[in-house]
Amino acid sequence: MTDCLIVGAGPVGLTMAAELARYGVGVRLIDRAPHATETSKALVVWSRTLELMDRMGCSQAFLEAGLRAPGASIRGGGRTLGHPRFDTIASAYNFALMIPQRDTERLLAAHARAFGVEVERQVELIGFTEACDGVEARLRHANGYEETVQAPWLLGCDGAHSAVRHGLGLAFTGSAQGDDWLLTDVRLDGPGAPPPDEIATYLHRDGPCVIFPIPNGRARVVATVGKTEAGHARPDPTLAEVQALVDRRAGGDIRVSDPVWLTNFRINERKVSEYRRGRVFLAGDAAHIHSPAGGQGMNTGMQDAVNLAWKLAMVIRGMAGEGLLDSYSPERSAVGDLVLRNAGRLTDLATLSNPAAQFARNLALRFLLGLHAVRDRIATTMSEIEIAYRESPLSHGPGAGARWPPEAYAGLPPGAGGEPRFVLYAADMRRGAALTRRFPRLLEPAPRPSPERSDLVIVRPDGYVALAAREAAWDDAERYLSTLARADERGTGAIS
Ligand SMILES: Cc1cc2nc3c(=O)[nH]c(=O)nc-3n(C[C@H](O)[C@H](O)[C@H](O)COP(=O)(O)OP(=O)(O)OC[C@H]3O[C@@H](n4cnc5c(N)ncnc54)[C@H](O)[C@@H]3O)c2cc1C
């Protein structure tokens, strides 16, 4: 039985499929491409994604395959401007995990397979229509056969040119950043090569050049290479051009060799305003694309999937009313806005072309990166551990919406085939046990002791605080859970 048709088996569709299947939801995962990504594309998996992978049950495989980068360096005007460190991030994963996207997809596909999901390749979504209780989708197979599928829910994880987004007629609002960028994966040698676990940014007057470490002794070089007129494609760079560019911007003591990927790209910054229309949802690049500065794109998309999967599972399994789904778009759209803003600012800063502005930027960076607080802020923002859903219709009480410290829920089983559950933390364990008995399908069977003696906290299946209250607020908690549980609750949004 297909409860959800997932279009696109990139990192976001694979995460969505694995999470839904883990919760016992029937999924079909289709992709029009004959094979998974073969290039390195998104390279960084950040702390919050790794924490969520703990809950998914796949973080260990990523940690074994990736390379841990403990920090970065920023150079400009012939000197080092600063060394942001990631080891100050308040997470067990206080580093940037460097792992090529082809490996990310391979590991996620293996993880999804463990829950019985196989990607159906060379199957393309060519159209769909919505009805009140589901979606009718038209799929084209490699041999030209056209299939019509009925599914209660359609999930568009089909990337920047999303057919699902087009089918909904949703505007993808934004703009293109003006530069052409070069990208290559190479080997680096020479006395000037940055340490093999450091992300090195060179802010040159011609434009930025960034070197990222990749496992197995390789490195990614990304740099601006000027502008071409709209509609004109720049030819792929040659190794000699990359060498000349690295010589000029990174100081002349680095030799590049053995390229496996030489390409150009342009940056678009675009987003939909609604991630849901009726029974159709968007996640990942289908909903938001932006500058790769900060390496947030794939991480944000995978977190979209984690956010939606438990909500859909609860609704599909009759544990919660459909009102629960109303929180997905506001929660993730706000995060998308934030990520677009931050990535855009970083890109603007790095690509300043006016020499006076470049001088002022370098001076300011040198001062600011000397301050612990600034370095910590940069690392924390990149790590996505401070993402919170304070304005969400699901958040109730002071502190609600915040990330619940992962140590507090360590040891939760990944829950294969099980149902997602909220967790109750209570100071009064007797009353806590009574509440968990009253809502056996919403709450983990046993309450856990609250870290604060007087607190009553309900934590969502994705590790964010749903309700935070004082001990006397048992009525609030009861009302909150009753509203969630009402299976006929459609579209009311706020839980009060
Ligand atoms: C050169 C490059 C470098 C990048 N570097 C970074 C980085 O350093 N950090 C970062 O976070 N991000 C980076 N990104 C972005 C990152 O790759 C994306 O954010 C990520 O792939 C998005 O995942 P997704 O699953 O949403 O979409 P995608 O990975 O695009 O997957 C979408 C899938 O949908 C399939 N599909 C599309 N249409 C249909 C259809 N009609 N029917 C069936 N299937 C369909 C496609 O075949 C594809 O497999 C980079 C991207 C590029 C191109």
Side-chain angles (χ1 to χ4, degrees), residues 284-356:
D285 276 20
H288 48 79
I289 53 168
H290 45 80
S291 157
Q296 309 283 288
M298 183 182 73
N299 288 270
T300 305
M302 290 169 69
Q303 291 178 36
D304 291 344
V306 170
N307 183 294
L308 180 56
W310 67 267
K311 295 173 183 171
L312 266 174
M314 279 195 152
V315 170
I316 289 167
R317 299 195 63 160
M319 302 159 70
E322 280 186 27
L324 177 59
L325 298 173
D326 293 345
S327 59
Y328 170 66
S329 183
E331 287 184 356
R332 295 309 300 172
S333 181
V335 172
D337 286 333
L338 183 73
V339 169
L340 243 79
R341 231 176 8 253
N342 287 343
R345 277 184 194 145
L346 275 181
T347 310
D348 291 347
L349 199 66
T351 54
L352 284 174
S353 57
N354 177 303

Side-chain angles (χ1 to χ4, degrees), residues 371-406:
L371 305 174
H372 278 294
V374 173
R375 288 200 305 270
D376 292 356
R377 180 102 310 274
I378 292 171
T380 299
T381 303
M382 303 262 194
S383 74
E384 299 200 336
I385 61 164
E386 281 194 349
I387 284 174
Y389 304 125
R390 295 189 206 288
E391 305 301 319
S392 167
L394 274 191
S395 299
H396 182 91
R403 158 181 166 269
W404 185 245

Side-chain angles (χ1 to χ4, degrees), residues 7-13 30-33 41-43 101 105 123-125 157-159 163 183 220 261 265 283-286 292 295-299:
V7 185
V12 176
I30 62 163
D31 198 297
R32 67 178 174 195
K41 283 165 75 178
L43 272 186
Q101 187 169 326
E105 291 186 19
V123 181
E124 179 177 10
L125 176 88
C157 306
D158 48 347
L183 179 157
R220 151 91 51 92
W261 193 28
F265 68 96
D285 276 20
Q296 309 283 288
M298 183 182 73
N299 288 270

Side-chain angles (χ1 to χ4, degrees), residues 83-259:
H83 279 284
R85 304 287 312 166
F86 305 137
D87 48 15
T88 57
I89 295 169
S91 166
Y93 304 118
N94 54 353
F95 45 82
L97 189 77
M98 309 305 296
I99 178 167
Q101 187 169 326
R102 61 171 173 271
D103 291 336
T104 293
E105 291 186 19
R106 176 176 57 77
L107 294 174
L108 287 172
H111 182 62
R113 202 169 297 124
F115 298 110
V117 182
E118 284 293 341
V119 180
E120 296 178 48
R121 292 246 159 239
Q122 294 183 280
V123 181
E124 179 177 10
L125 176 88
I126 52 173
F128 64 91
T129 49
E130 276 185 86
C132 64
D133 57 352
V135 174
E136 186 174 279
R138 281 178 296 118
L139 312 182
R140 189 187 295 130
H141 291 247
N143 60 5
Y145 164 67
E146 287 192 11
E147 178 192 0
T148 302
V149 182
Q150 323 274 345
W153 306 95
L154 175 66
L155 312 182
C157 306
D158 48 347
H161 304 287
S162 169
V164 176
R165 188 185 66 237
H166 286 298
L168 291 175
L170 288 174
F172 207 29
T173 315
S175 59
Q177 196 261 350
D179 293 301
D180 288 344
W181 295 73
L182 156 164
L183 179 157
T184 183
D185 290 351
V186 286
R187 288 195 189 281
L188 300 181
D189 303 285
D197 60 356
E198 180 179 284
I199 300 172
T201 300
Y202 302 86
L203 297 173
H204 190 266
R205 61 179 173 278
D206 294 351
C209 171
V210 188
I211 297 178
F212 300 87
I214 308 182
N216 303 323
R218 291 195 163 270
R220 151 91 51 92
V221 178
V222 172
T224 51
V225 283
K227 301 179 196 298
T228 42
E229 281 174 40
H232 288 255
R234 182 180 286 270
D236 286 344
T238 63
L239 184 63
E241 285 167 350
V242 176
Q243 182 66 67
L245 186 141
V246 169
D247 284 346
R248 187 161 165 73
R249 298 197 194 171
D253 286 329
I254 307 176
R255 196 172 61 257
V256 300
S257 62
D258 195 14

Side-chain angles (χ1 to χ4, degrees), residues 314-315 318-325 438-439 442 476-496:
M314 279 195 152
V315 170
M319 302 159 70
E322 280 186 27
L324 177 59
L325 298 173
R438 179 146 155 49
F439 295 96
L442 281 180
D476 278 359
E478 173 121 8
R479 220 173 10 252
Y480 183 94
L481 293 165
S482 300
T483 309
L484 261 185
R486 238 172 279 146
D488 57 355
E489 190 88 11
R490 277 183 189 241
T492 53
I495 291 179
S496 55

